């Protein structure tokens, strides 16, 4: 246990920030991002700042190859820092210190006190935030000074660390660190350590290049010593600028041969492979072992086109006879074996080829290729090499290629060839992920696409966990340990272990698990050996022990982050693939999840906007069926695939037991269309309250739409003009169950259909009218009489018209579906949708079916009255007699008073014939009509006034009353609820 107490004044408020962080406060504004992420990782593993039990292990060393590359760089760096009081530390890939150079006795003594010395572990989960451990955890160069160290004992120091990678595999081989006292710290240390790390990586690459040159020299010496007959120097080996080599192979064929050769180099158990080429030709590739004079082991791949033109050089660079070896194309860091050109007379010999013109530019896209190559001059030829015979198919290969002219295609090391094949597969996987992930705007489906793309090409199991808020389209809260997530997707190469959480299960990760640490820090975590990951097992020891027994051995967990927000976590497992995850796999996983996170966030935001628009639209559409007995209605509304739109329908009870049927369509989709639909629906309700005729109502609605389109309205704290309605259509119908007459008017809307009781279907010949908002033209009304039991069918254009079918064919299909006698409205709706819309429509669809009823003579009584005051008493008597016949004696007094007042007003103030009518519907309705267009109005009578109290009494005694105009005058009506 190390405990060192140091007191001094730190700058930047880090003293307070460190204490507040440990207390659980937010310190994002006071601490650099990389340091804060490191502090979170330290906290997630339960590290205590004052207690560091650093483990020690003696006899640690690095690979001789790496040490040979690092020693010259470290010596040079130590010489440059000799007088600066800075120590150089070299640690292995686990953060354990191997070597410490320079710094002077005083600094080294202080470092010894905190066990920052060879043999001790400086990894972040053990030592907290520091140059070695944090560079290794973050996998990037870092600079840490003073109170930025998580541990108290390290706070007197400043350090800069950088990971050192193998240039071919990309794996971290070591960590280089510069450490000095805090007061001597300088951010320039970060540049020094990064430069030194790159120098070591460059020397590692040079070592690989030297091995490849030695293998090439061994192969060439074997070809020349074996009696190879080189090509005459004057013969060209290259193509003629047409994308083909001298033997007719195109660039696509050459790229395919190179790719298959790289795979053959990386396959230790294969010796021979046949490659189909264009034109029906087949190339045979032969894998041979090569060993240089210094023991360098490698592989050579030779090629021969069987049954086709002679293959010479494969369009690769060469040198004239007698001028020495051809230039070697050595792949850059992480690339494959060298590509070489040579010639020979048999399967075991090769010799240089003459030069030729440069290859022509490709005429067609080629398969994915490794990174750009660099040309280097080969090393001098080594002594005669040893060429062992082919491993397993020597006789077969000899028979196939006996007497045939083969050409050298590739020379390299199997390990490097494996890295190239993996790199190409990763590029192909990224390309496929870009195509397959995010094809929909559905959160769950996008998660499934990520799992499907990565299994089995990257992992054997892939699982995605998201909070429920993301699935609902909401912004997720800050995620961390014990956050409740839901398993949204899981995909497996075969049958997954049943002990893993399944889709729909709720998952709460304990704080020590890789997933919880990943959510807490926002950093990806790799566990190459799950059996050693105690934090992972702590989630559910019994369950996860069985998962390990099923063969799962390696894990990568990556946070789903978009726009700075963590949306969930993705876990990749390996079981069938025996190779554990590597550093390059971690980078690939992060790239895949980054792409998926953007798609999931887009889907989440779309879900939020879609749900908002849908909620708005649902709040604006009718809820339930209004109380009325004129028609029996059924309706359907289907939103489009593109989202909510502006289609609407309505059933509005009117005075006199009548009912209004409305269907409308606002052009477009989204919030604006839904909001506009709400405006128009509200306006229709308001105009209906005025009892306007259908043509007058559409005229008022047309004027309103025109004013909205022109932006005439209230504008509150907005600099943007109203975007307008763009276009809207409407059909308005009023049905009177007493007369069984229906009045219809339309503004650019599809024709309504009438289904007679016998099943006959007719489309009402109704003038089209202009869409709403154009103005200037009156609307025409058509009135028709409907037999009782007829069905009036109103709909929007999405039902009968789409991009594949015109409206005429749609109307014909609708006529066929409706031609059924006696079908209830609900069944009619189902039949229409099943026949007309087998799948989700591309446009909104509103469908309204109304079957008519009649209010018979037994429920209606009317009297024509002369304009004589003496008739009022007779009207009262008739009303009382009729109510007695209807068993409504309880309403007799009130109804007699109402009828008396209304008839008296009509006789006194109006002209023309007077008619009194009583209707027993859901309410008792009393109507008095006359020939005058003057409407009475309710007013408060003064004390000295003799009149003016009649309508006031009517309003007080009835539930509602009003006036409606007819072509011949007006009607005053009043309703009372039935007992």
């Amino acid at each position: 246990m190390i405990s060192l107490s140091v007191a001094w004044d730190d700058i930047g408020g880090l003293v307070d920030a460190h204490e507040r962080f440990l207390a659980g406060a937010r310190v994002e504004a006071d601490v650099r991002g990389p340091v804060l992420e490191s502090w979170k990782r330290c906290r997630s593993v339960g590290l205590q700042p004052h207690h560091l039990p650093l483990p020690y292990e003696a006899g640690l060393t690095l690979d001789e190859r790496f040490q040979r590359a690092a020693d010259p760089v470290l010596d040079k760096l130590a010489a440059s820092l000799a007088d600066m009081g800075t120590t150089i530390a070299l640690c292995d890939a686990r953060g354990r210190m191997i070597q410490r150079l320079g710094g002077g006795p005083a600094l080294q003594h202080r470092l010894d006190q905190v066990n920052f010395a060879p043999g001790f572990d400086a990894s972040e989960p053990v030592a907290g935030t520091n140059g070695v451990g944090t560079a290794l955890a973050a996998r990037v160069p870092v600079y840490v000074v003073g109170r930025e160290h998580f541990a108290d004992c390290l706070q007197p120091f400043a350090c800069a660390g950088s990971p050192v990678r193998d240039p071919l595999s990309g794996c971290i081989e070591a960590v280089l660190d510069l450490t000095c006292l805090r007061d001597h710290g300088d951010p320039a240390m970060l540049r020094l350590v990064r430069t030194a790390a790159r120098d070591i990586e460059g020397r590692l690459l040079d070592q690989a290049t030297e091995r490849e040159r030695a293998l090439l020299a061994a192969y060439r010496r074997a070809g020349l010593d074996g009696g190879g007959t080189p090509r005459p120097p004057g013969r060209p080996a290259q193509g003629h600028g047409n994308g083909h080599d001298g033997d007719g192979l195109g660039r696509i064929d050459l790229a395919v041969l190179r790719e298959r050769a790289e795979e053959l180099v990386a396959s230790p158990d294969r010796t021979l492979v046949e490659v189909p080429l264009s034109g029906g030709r087949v190339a045979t590739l032969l894998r041979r072992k090569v060993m240089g004079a210094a023991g360098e082991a490698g592989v050579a791949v030779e090629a021969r086109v069987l049954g086709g033109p002679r293959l010479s050089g494969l369009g690769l660079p060469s040198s004239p006879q007698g001028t020495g070896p051809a230039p070697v194309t050595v792949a850059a860091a992480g690339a494959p074996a060298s590509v070489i050109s040579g010639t020979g007379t048999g399967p075991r010999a090769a010799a240089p080829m003459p030069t030729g013109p440069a290859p022509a530019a490709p005429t067609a896209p080629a398969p994915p290729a490794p990174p750009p190559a660099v040309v280097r001059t080969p090393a001098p030829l080594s002594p005669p090499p040893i060429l062992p015979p082919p491993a397993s198919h020597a006789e077969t290969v000899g028979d196939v290629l006996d007497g045939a002219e083969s050409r050298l295609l590739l020379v390299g090391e199997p390990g490097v060839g494996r890295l190239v094949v993996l790199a190409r597969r990763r590029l192909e996987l990224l390309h496929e992920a870009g195509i397959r992930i995010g094809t929909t705007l559905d959160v769950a489906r996008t998660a499934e696409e990520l799992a499907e793309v990565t299994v089995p090409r990257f992992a054997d199991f892939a699982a995605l966990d998201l909070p429920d808020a993301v699935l609902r389209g909401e912004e997720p809260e800050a995620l961390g340990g014990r956050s409740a997530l839901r398993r949204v997707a899981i995909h497996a190469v075969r049958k997954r272990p049943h002990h893993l959480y399944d889709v729909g299960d709720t998952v709460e990760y304990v704080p020590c698990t890789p997933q919880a640490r990943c959510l807490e820090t926002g950093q990806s975590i790799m566990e190459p050996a799950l059996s050693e990951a105690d934090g992972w097992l702590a989630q559910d020891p019994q369950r996860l022990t069985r998962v390990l027994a099923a063969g799962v051995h390696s894990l990568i967990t990556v946070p789903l982050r978009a726009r700075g927000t963590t949306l969930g976590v993705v876990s990749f497992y390996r079981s069938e693939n025996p190779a554990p995850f590597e550093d390059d796999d971690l980078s690939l996983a992060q790239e895949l999840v980054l792409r998926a996170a953007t798609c999931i966030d887009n889907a989440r935001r779309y879900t939020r906007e879609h749900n908002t628009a849908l909620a708005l639209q649902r709040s604006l559409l009718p809820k339930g069926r209004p109380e009325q007995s004129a028609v029996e209605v059924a309706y359907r509304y289907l939103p489009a695939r593109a989202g909510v739109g502006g289609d609407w329908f309505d059933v509005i009870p009117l005075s006199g037991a009548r009912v209004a049927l409305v269907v409308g369509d606002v052009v477009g989709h989204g919030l604006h269309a839904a909001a506009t639909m709400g405006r128009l629906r509200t306006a229709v309700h308001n105009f209906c309250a005025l009892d306007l005729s259908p043509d007058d109502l559409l005229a008022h609605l047309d004027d309103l739409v025109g004013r909205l389109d022109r932006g005439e309205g209230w504008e509150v704290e907005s600099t943007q003009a109203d975007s307008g309605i763009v276009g809207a259509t409407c059909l308005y119908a009023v049905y009177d169950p007493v007369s069984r007459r229906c009045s219809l008017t339309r503004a650019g809307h599809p024709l309504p259909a009438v289904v007679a009781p016998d099943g006959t279907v007719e489309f009402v010949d109704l003038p089209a009218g202009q869409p709403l908002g154009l103005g200037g033209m009156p609307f025409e009304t058509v009135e028709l009489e409907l037999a009782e039991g007829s069905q009036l069918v109103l709909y929007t254009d999405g039902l009968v018209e789409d991009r594949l079918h015109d409206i005429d064919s749609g109307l014909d299909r609708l006529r066929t579906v409706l031609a059924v006698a006696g079908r209830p409205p609900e069944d009619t709706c189902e039949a229409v949708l099943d026949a007309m819309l087998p799948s989700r429509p591309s446009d909104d669809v509103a469908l309204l079916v109304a079957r008519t009823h009649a209010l018979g003579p037994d429920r209606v009584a009317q009297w024509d009255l002369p304009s004589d005051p003496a008739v009022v008493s007779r009207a009262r008597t008739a009303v009382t007699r009729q109510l007695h016949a209807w068993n409504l004696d309880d309403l007799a007094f009130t109804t007699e008073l109402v009828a008396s007042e209304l008839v008296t007003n009509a006789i006194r103030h109006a002209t023309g014939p007077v008619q009194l009518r009583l209707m027993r519907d859901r309410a008792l309705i009393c109507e008095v009509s006359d020939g005058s267009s003057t409407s009475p109005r309710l007013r408060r009578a003064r004390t000295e006034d003799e009149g003016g109290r009649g309508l006031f009494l009517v309003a007080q005694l009835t539930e509602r009353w009003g006036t409606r105009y007819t072509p011949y005058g007006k009607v005053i009506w009043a309703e009372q609820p039935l007992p």
Side-chain angles (χ1 to χ4, degrees):
M1 193 268 293
I2 305 299
S3 179
L4 181 64
S5 178
V6 180
W8 72 94
D9 292 331
D10 211 324
I11 60 175
L14 280 177
V15 175
D16 180 58
H18 191 264
E19 294 176 353
R20 287 188 291 112
F21 173 80
L22 295 176
R26 298 178 64 88
V27 294
E28 282 79 356
D30 302 318
V31 184
R32 291 189 297 125
V35 174
L36 181 58
E37 296 299 328
S38 176
W39 287 4
K40 291 179 180 179
R41 291 193 295 266
C42 296
R43 181 175 60 185
S44 68
V45 298
L47 197 64
Q48 298 298 322
H50 59 279
H51 183 75
L52 293 182
L54 301 182
Y56 174 80
E57 186 173 347
L60 297 175
T61 59
L62 288 175
D63 179 76
E64 180 182 356
R65 171 187 61 90
F66 184 89
Q67 197 69 54
R68 188 168 61 251
D71 284 343
V73 177
L74 296 181
D75 292 342
K76 181 179 178 181
L77 183 61
S80 65
L81 298 176
D83 300 328
M84 300 182 62
T86 301
T87 289
I88 304 169
L90 182 64
C91 303
D92 64 11
R94 293 173 54 184
R96 301 171 301 179
M97 189 178 296
I98 306 298
Q99 187 177 0
R100 195 177 69 184
L101 304 173
L107 178 59
Q108 292 193 13
H109 175 70
R110 296 196 63 174
L111 293 175
D112 289 341
Q113 287 184 297
V114 297
N115 286 351
F116 193 73
F120 286 96
D121 194 340
S123 61
E124 190 179 75
V126 174
T129 307
N130 69 89
V132 175
T134 303
L136 189 59
R139 317 183 76 79
V140 294
V142 296
Y143 176 69
V144 182
V145 58
R147 289 291 287 188
E148 290 183 335
H149 289 88
F150 189 79
D152 296 339
C153 62
L154 298 181
Q155 290 168 3
F157 305 100
C159 52
S162 175
V164 184
R165 302 177 184 272
D166 185 315
L168 297 182
S169 69
C171 295
I172 295 178
E173 295 279 339
V175 182
L176 188 61
D177 174 85
L178 300 180
T179 299
C180 64
L181 291 177
R182 174 190 172 279
D183 293 338
H184 299 159
D186 191 323
M189 295 165 58
L190 189 62
R191 177 176 53 83
L192 291 176
V193 74
R194 184 189 295 117
T195 301
R198 290 176 178 173
D199 291 343
I200 296 175
E201 293 171 353
R203 290 181 60 83
L204 289 172
L205 181 59
D206 289 339
Q207 290 181 10
T209 302
E210 292 172 3
R211 291 195 303 272
E212 289 185 338
R213 288 173 175 168
L215 294 174
L216 174 63
Y219 186 91
R220 289 191 179 280
R221 179 61 59 89
L224 293 173
D225 292 347
T229 304
R231 177 190 303 234
R235 180 175 175 180
Q238 304 300 327
H240 306 284
N242 59 358
H244 294 73
D245 75 341
D247 292 325
L249 286 180
R251 293 305 176 90
I252 299 296
D253 289 338
L254 297 178
V256 170
L257 286 175
R258 172 168 178 155
E259 181 178 356
R260 297 302 301 274
E262 291 165 355
E263 295 176 357
L264 193 57
V265 169
S267 304
D269 56 342
R270 301 181 67 183
T271 302
L272 182 70
V273 64
E274 290 187 346
V275 183
L277 302 176
S278 61
R281 294 169 296 181
V282 177
T284 301
L285 305 184
L286 171 64
R287 183 182 193 271
R288 298 184 179 280
K289 293 183 179 179
V290 181
M291 185 172 294
E296 301 89 353
V299 172
V301 177
E302 298 171 347
R304 165 66 176 167
V305 176
L306 302 179
R310 181 167 48 82
L311 184 64
S312 58
L314 300 175
L316 302 172
S318 59
S319 61
Q321 178 188 7
T323 61
V328 184
T329 304
V330 182
S338 305
V339 179
I340 314 132
S341 63
T343 181
T345 58
R348 303 178 186 273
M353 297 184 304
T355 58
T363 58
V374 296
V375 178
R376 303 180 186 270
T377 303
L381 291 177
S382 304
I386 302 172
L387 276 179
S392 57
H393 303 287
E395 298 302 326
T396 303
V397 173
D399 294 340
V400 172
L401 298 180
D402 187 27
E405 184 178 359
S406 61
R407 294 293 178 267
L408 177 62
L409 182 59
L410 209 64
V411 167
E413 300 175 85
V416 178
R418 169 185 168 272
L419 297 175
V420 172
V421 173
L422 291 177
R424 177 177 289 109
R425 290 174 181 171
R426 287 167 180 144
L427 288 174
E428 293 172 350
L429 180 58
L430 285 174
H431 173 71
E432 184 176 353
I435 296 175
R436 293 180 54 187
I437 298 177
T439 59
T440 68
L441 286 173
D442 181 81
V443 174
R445 179 56 194 153
T446 305
E448 292 171 358
E449 289 170 345
L450 173 61
E452 292 169 358
V453 166
T454 54
V455 175
R457 297 176 60 180
F458 176 69
D460 298 315
F461 301 94
L464 285 87
D465 304 319
L466 303 174
D468 289 335
V470 172
L471 296 175
R472 296 192 299 265
E474 302 170 3
E475 288 281 352
E477 298 180 356
L479 300 179
R482 294 296 184 183
S483 294
L485 304 178
R486 190 168 302 281
R487 179 61 49 87
V488 178
I490 184 169
H491 197 62
V493 62
R494 290 196 181 98
K495 184 178 180 181
R496 62 177 177 269
H498 63 279
H499 309 296
L500 290 175
Y501 296 102
D502 209 341
V503 173
D505 291 347
T506 300
V507 185
E508 293 186 10
Y509 291 108
V510 299
C512 63
T513 59
Q515 287 86 351
R517 288 154 48 203
C518 176
L519 293 172
E520 170 71 16
T521 63
Q523 302 293 320
S524 304
I525 295 176
M526 179 173 64
E527 295 286 358
L530 275 179
S531 58
E532 302 175 3
D534 296 335
W536 178 75
L537 287 169
Q539 173 70 25
D540 190 338
Q542 293 183 351
R543 175 198 293 261
L544 298 182
T545 299
R546 292 193 292 268
V547 172
L548 289 177
V552 177
H553 60 79
S554 189
L555 164 69
I556 287 179
T557 178
V558 185
L560 271 164
R561 290 181 59 84
R563 299 182 300 106
T565 302
T566 301
L567 304 176
V569 64
V570 185
S571 301
F572 300 104
Y573 296 90
R574 276 189 180 171
S575 60
E576 304 291 333
N577 188 339
F581 284 118
E582 301 175 345
D583 288 356
D584 284 353
D585 294 320
L586 180 61
S587 300
L588 177 61
Q590 292 171 336
E591 179 65 24
L592 290 169
V593 173
L594 177 62
R595 298 187 182 194
T598 302
C599 296
I600 287 177
D601 188 55
N602 289 340
R604 179 194 64 80
R605 299 174 72 182
Y606 169 79
T607 300
R608 179 187 61 191
E609 295 180 2
H610 177 75
N611 290 343
T612 301
L614 198 60
L616 172 63
Q617 186 182 44
R618 286 173 177 170
S619 69
L620 297 175
L621 287 173
K623 297 178 178 61
R625 297 174 174 84
E627 292 186 0
Q628 51 83 34
S629 56
V631 292
E632 176 188 353
V633 297
Y635 53 82
R636 296 292 187 274
Y637 173 78
L638 297 180
R641 288 193 299 265
V644 298
D647 290 15
W648 91 93
F649 61 91
D650 228 328
V651 179
I652 306 173
L654 302 177
S655 63
R658 299 170 305 140
V659 65
L661 306 174
V662 191
V663 173
D665 183 3
V666 176
V667 174
H669 298 91
L671 282 174
H672 178 66
T676 301
M677 176 269 290
R679 288 165 127 178
L680 297 186
R681 181 169 178 260
T682 301
V684 170
H685 271 266
N686 291 333
F687 293 145
C688 284
L690 300 177
D691 263 325
L692 299 177
S693 63
D695 53 341
D696 284 342
L697 186 143
L698 285 190
H700 282 77
L701 196 63
D702 176 67
D703 180 64
L704 172 65
V705 172
R707 287 188 285 111
L708 291 176
D709 274 340
R710 292 190 298 270
E712 298 178 11
W714 295 101
E715 189 174 323
V716 181
E717 296 182 2
S718 175
T719 58
Q720 297 181 352
D722 195 313
S723 58
I725 292 178
V726 179
T729 64
C730 185
L731 179 96
Y732 184 79
V734 174
Y735 173 69
D736 187 344
V738 177
S739 64
R740 292 187 289 104
R741 301 195 67 80
C742 182
S743 302
L744 304 98
T745 304
R746 65 170 177 152
H749 204 79
L751 290 172
V754 175
V755 184
D758 61 358
T760 305
V761 180
E762 292 185 3
F763 290 99
V764 181
D765 186 12
L766 186 62
Q770 294 182 340
L772 298 175
L774 298 182
M777 295 294 292
F779 296 96
E780 298 184 49
T781 299
V782 170
E783 189 172 290
L784 62 156
E785 184 174 337
L786 300 177
E788 185 175 5
S790 300
Q791 290 190 4
L792 186 62
V793 181
L794 312 181
Y795 51 88
T796 55
D797 59 356
L799 181 69
V800 295
E801 185 179 19
D802 57 30
R803 291 178 296 179
L804 302 178
H805 305 89
D806 59 20
I807 192 169
D808 291 334
S809 62
L811 292 177
D812 291 339
R813 288 188 294 138
L814 180 61
R815 182 193 299 272
T816 302
V817 177
L818 294 177
V820 176
R823 186 164 53 189
E826 285 288 343
D827 294 345
T828 300
C829 286
E830 291 295 329
V832 168
L833 294 185
D834 290 344
M836 305 291 291
L837 300 172
S839 59
R840 189 174 179 183
S842 58
D843 191 12
D844 290 29
V845 172
L847 174 65
L848 179 63
V849 178
R851 182 163 62 181
T852 62
H853 296 305
L855 207 60
D858 58 328
R859 301 171 64 184
V860 179
Q862 64 181 28
W863 301 272
D864 293 327
L865 305 175
S867 296
D868 183 357
V871 81
V872 176
S873 60
R874 291 163 41 198
R876 288 198 298 266
T877 303
V879 167
T880 303
R881 188 183 303 113
Q882 184 62 50
L883 292 179
H884 178 74
W886 286 344
N887 294 321
L888 296 176
D889 296 310
D890 292 343
L891 299 178
F893 175 77
T894 303
T895 308
E896 180 182 345
L897 181 60
V898 169
S900 173
E901 182 62 34
L902 295 181
V903 170
T904 299
N905 283 344
I907 294 174
R908 180 177 298 177
H909 302 292
T911 60
V914 177
Q915 186 182 71
L916 171 64
R917 184 166 72 168
L918 291 180
M919 291 179 287
R920 181 170 61 86
D921 190 31
R922 291 181 178 271
L924 179 63
I925 305 170
C926 178
E927 293 184 346
V928 175
S929 60
D930 57 57
S932 173
S933 60
T934 302
S935 174
R937 61 186 182 89
L938 182 65
R939 65 184 181 88
R940 182 175 294 275
R942 291 173 296 182
T943 306
E944 62 272 13
D945 289 344
E946 294 183 2
R949 296 177 177 83
L951 283 181
F952 178 77
L953 291 175
V954 171
Q956 295 298 313
L957 295 175
T958 61
E959 188 173 52
R960 62 190 189 117
W961 72 280
T963 304
R964 72 172 180 270
Y965 295 93
T966 68
Y968 314 104
K970 67 177 184 296
V971 176
I972 310 295
W973 56 269
E975 291 184 3
Q976 302 174 71
L978 295 178

